Amino acid sequence: MLVLARHAHAGSKKLWTGDDADRPLSPLGWDQARNLVTALDGVELHTLLSSPTARCRQTLEPLAAARGLSIDEHRLLAPEAPIEQLFDLVTARDLDEVVLCTHGEVLTALAALARTKGATPLPPAGGTEKGAAWLIDRRAPATGRLRYLPPVPQSDGDGSDFGPVVIRPLAPGDEPEVRRLHEQLGERDAYQRFSALPRQLESLAALVRNGDERHVGLGAFSGPALLGVVHYRVTCTDENPGPAADCAVVVAHRAQHHGVGTALIQQLTATARAHGIARLTASVPAENTVMLDILRTLGWSRTGPLGATVDLTIELTPVP
């Protein structure tokens, strides 16, 4: 088991007057660092490796204290380090039960290099949130090798705080929570979800209950409460260029603008890739600018003319 983590929130780079390597975590960053301890509960670990920056080291400090481990700095996790050498380190077969904490630009460069080499699944380029981590299990089946561990949702002071979020496949026992999420959606929230699939979560509840091999659904849970769902349905099974699927996402109103939607899309992308999906597509209402910005950040691109809805797609490299 290997964990690749991005350092937690460290405040504004522009406002920091000292050496950037010394920029510390913000209060939100410390919350995210503590959340990592909970997210990795039950995962065997014996080594913590950090970029030689304060924000990466501090991200691992609560985990180190909880596990009784030391934190070792590693030069290859620094932003300016040779990415080829880091790739060799991360893909070494004897690297196991290790956490590596680095920077967003390093994770993106690592993913791009892995894509060109057709290597063991690594996190997708772009979009790994600060304080998030990827759990990589090389011994698991292809569909379970890569799991996204989102950061603790950001608080905006509106009383909608919640604890650590877990993303997992929806199961038949989740049908009541899916229906409850459907019932609580306002008209605007229902409209602003992706429109490429049926708009009613009632349809998703039926799929969760009955099962459908052409359909995959994931839920973001805080304890027993369902904060959001993301799902795709295979629409094209052509061998060339490969299977395609339409996807949709909806997040409870109280959980919006807390990073839940981003985390769901990240995990759905990794899951679709592991299932051999070559391309994901989505249609998003043009007025849903927040979701459009999220998708563009995660590597999606527009495929058609601008209108009331915007069509987007992302090409997925196959799991070797």
Side-chain angles (χ1 to χ4, degrees):
M1 193 78 71
L2 175 66
V3 180
L4 282 176
R6 182 181 179 184
H7 69 76
H9 188 269
S12 172
K13 183 176 181 178
K14 294 181 179 179
L15 296 178
W16 177 251
T17 57
D19 189 322
D20 189 59
D22 297 328
R23 181 157 50 98
L25 295 186
S26 66
L28 170 61
W30 282 108
D31 284 344
Q32 293 172 337
R34 287 186 285 269
N35 176 67
L36 192 60
V37 178
T38 303
L40 293 175
D41 185 40
V43 177
E44 291 293 330
L45 300 170
H46 63 66
T47 302
L48 306 180
L49 300 179
S50 168
S51 163
T53 60
R55 55 193 180 276
C56 282
R57 185 178 184 86
Q58 289 177 347
T59 298
L60 296 182
E61 284 182 1
L63 183 62
R67 299 294 187 98
L69 298 173
S70 61
I71 302 171
D72 297 319
E73 293 185 357
H74 201 298
R75 63 178 184 82
L76 291 180
L77 296 172
E80 67 279 1
I83 199 64
E84 287 272 2
Q85 293 181 32
L86 177 60
F87 177 84
D88 292 340
L89 171 68
V90 170
T91 56
R93 292 189 177 275
D94 59 349
L95 191 69
D96 195 25
E97 299 181 359
V98 177
V99 178
L100 298 94
C101 187
T102 185
H103 306 261
E105 61 268 35
V106 174
L107 292 174
T108 296
L110 190 62
L113 181 60
R115 188 168 58 246
T116 64
K117 292 178 176 288
T120 300
L122 288 174
T128 300
E129 302 160 281
K130 292 178 180 178
W134 289 91
L135 193 62
I136 302 171
D137 186 353
R138 299 188 181 104
R139 293 182 290 271
T143 56
R145 289 179 193 166
L146 195 60
R147 184 157 62 93
Y148 188 58
L149 305 177
V152 63
Q154 296 188 32
S155 169
D156 54 14
D158 63 356
S160 59
D161 303 347
F162 24 77
V165 173
V166 174
I167 297 176
R168 61 169 175 79
L170 292 171
D174 297 321
E175 183 183 355
E177 280 298 313
V178 173
R179 292 184 182 279
R180 187 174 296 111
L181 177 61
H182 173 218
E183 294 165 358
Q184 293 174 349
L185 282 181
E187 182 178 347
R188 183 173 180 81
D189 290 332
Y191 168 72
Q192 287 204 328
R193 69 192 296 266
F194 292 2
S195 56
L197 292 177
R199 299 237 179 143
Q200 299 299 314
L201 282 179
E202 185 75 20
S203 301
L204 176 59
L207 287 168
V208 168
R209 180 176 67 252
N210 300 324
D212 181 350
E213 63 182 13
R214 293 166 59 88
H215 172 272
V216 170
L218 305 173
F221 292 84
S222 178
L226 181 62
L227 302 179
V229 298
V230 64
H231 51 115
Y232 73 71
R233 180 182 289 162
V234 177
T235 57
C236 172
T237 57
D238 293 345
E239 291 185 5
N240 188 14
D246 286 334
C247 66
V249 64
V250 64
V251 177
H253 186 78
R254 72 184 183 94
Q256 292 175 11
H257 309 294
H258 292 271
V260 175
T262 300
L264 282 166
I265 296 166
Q266 283 279 49
Q267 185 60 58
L268 186 79
T269 302
T271 301
R273 179 172 177 258
H275 277 93
I277 302 300
R279 184 175 67 260
L280 287 175
T281 61
S283 294
V284 183
E287 66 180 76
N288 192 350
T289 56
V290 172
M291 185 55 66
L292 289 172
D293 287 343
I294 289 173
L295 290 174
R296 291 186 185 113
T297 299
L298 296 179
W300 293 63
S301 57
R302 183 166 58 87
T303 58
L306 292 173
T309 60
V310 180
D311 295 328
L312 301 104
T313 189
I314 185 170
E315 303 291 333
L316 305 178
T317 53
V319 173

